[in-house]
């Protein structure tokens, strides 16, 4: 599956085309982008089980955990990622509260 990803990085939006298996979490897609496309992308994660909430972000316009949410395109054909609206954005998808 070829997934088109848009990441709101504050000052600009980055777009990536990621080849991935049919079922993959948003966190796995971010890791693939980091490893294969852009090692400068900033995001957080810790437990991978949905308990710590450090990977929380806006996914296709709704707040969700990237470690639990399956990666799928929204109505516009893109998997759109952005930081949560509250708090201070340190960089890319990383927030401070």
């Amino acid at each position: 599956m070829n997934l088109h990803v848009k990441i709101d990085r504050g000052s600009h939006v980055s777009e990536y085309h990621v080849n991935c298996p049919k079922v993959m979490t948003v966190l796995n897609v971010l890791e693939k982008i980091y490893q294969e496309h852009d090692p400068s992308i900033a995001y957080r994660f810790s437990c991978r089980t949905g308990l710590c909430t450090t990977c929380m972000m806006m996914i296709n316009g709704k707040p969700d955990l990237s470690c639990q949410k399956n990666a799928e395109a929204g109505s516009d054909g893109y998997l759109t990622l952005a930081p949560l609206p509250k708090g201070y954005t340190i960089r890319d998808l990383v927030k401070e509260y």
Side-chain angles (χ1 to χ4, degrees):
M1 169 174 80
N2 196 15
L3 189 63
H4 302 285
V5 183
K6 282 185 186 179
I7 299 177
D8 180 349
R9 298 180 79 170
S11 61
H12 67 282
V13 175
S14 297
E15 292 187 25
Y16 306 93
H17 300 283
V18 181
N19 189 7
C20 55
K22 291 211 180 264
V23 179
M24 194 175 213
T25 67
V26 172
L27 181 57
N28 292 133
V29 169
L30 280 169
E31 290 176 333
K32 195 166 178 81
I33 290 170
Y34 180 83
Q35 292 170 358
E36 298 178 7
H37 300 281
D38 186 356
S40 72
I41 191 83
Y43 58 99
R44 281 190 177 154
F45 66 95
S46 185
C47 71
R48 293 185 180 268
T49 60
L51 297 174
C52 70
T53 70
T54 58
C55 68
M56 177 83 64
M57 63 186 65
M58 299 299 288
I59 302 172
N60 293 330
K62 296 179 184 175
D64 213 332
L65 296 171
S66 66
C67 71
Q68 298 292 299
K69 181 75 172 169
N70 284 339
E72 54 191 20
S75 59
D76 63 353
Y78 287 87
L79 169 62
T80 304
L81 307 176
L84 292 171
K86 292 187 178 183
Y88 171 74
T89 303
I90 296 172
R91 195 173 116 217
D92 301 335
L93 301 170
V94 179
K95 297 295 282 195
E96 182 178 277
Y97 300 97

